[in-house]
Amino acid sequence: PKCNVQCAYCNRKYDCINESRPGITSSVLSPFQALNYLRGISDRIHNISTIGIAGPGDAFAEPEKTMETIRLIRDEFPDKIFCLSTNGLEIRPYVEELASMGVTHVTLTINSLRKETLKSIYKWVRYKKRVYRGEQAAELILRQQMAALPALVSHGITVKVNSIIIPGL
């Protein structure tokens, strides 16, 4: 439900009956709601092979909820492929635990390798209870992402890098 960055292109609204597009959610589930939702779906659809955690916020803006959700679901559905999406800002402290819990795939959104571009993409970055803006925000998120990528790979996690195409940038 929360995010640790504010992207200039992002609007974390919920959908409605007339709107259903990627990146928009109908609701945000607590760890127990996610488990119960998956139980219900699995009773009706028997060939689900992959379970994922994605936005509208970032999985590691509230890591305790994300890790609890993974633990609950992994205990009951140990045979499923588990993946999650993140901007990479705060994933590093959890990489080893994620690997030990069987998370095999992470989508890491890296929108640019250029600080000049990142300054235009991120309005702010919140890291360890402090908000960064401008060049400091750009340097911080890029540094964290560039450290997260090899950390994930070194623990056997397949990483898909996602980039948002932004006209004019």
Side-chain angles (χ1 to χ4, degrees), residues 7-10 111-112 117-118 120-122 163-169:
C7 302
Y9 60 81
C10 184
N111 286 320
S112 180
T117 304
L118 291 171
S120 298
I121 293 173
Y122 296 105
S163 294
I164 307 299
I165 303 298
I166 305 168
L169 290 181

Side-chain angles (χ1 to χ4, degrees), residues 4-5 7 9 54-55 57-58 84-89 91 106-113 118 121-122 141-142 144-146 148-149 152 159-166:
N4 47 16
V5 302
C7 302
Y9 60 81
D58 188 81
L84 58 86
S85 297
T86 181
N87 58 38
L89 180 65
I91 194 173
V106 169
T107 298
L108 180 59
T109 298
I110 301 175
N111 286 320
S112 180
L113 298 177
L118 291 171
I121 293 173
Y122 296 105
I141 195 160
L142 185 58
Q144 292 298 103
Q145 291 170 336
M146 292 300 101
L149 182 56
L152 290 160
V159 180
K160 177 184 86 169
V161 175
N162 181 51
S163 294
I164 307 299
I165 303 298
I166 305 168

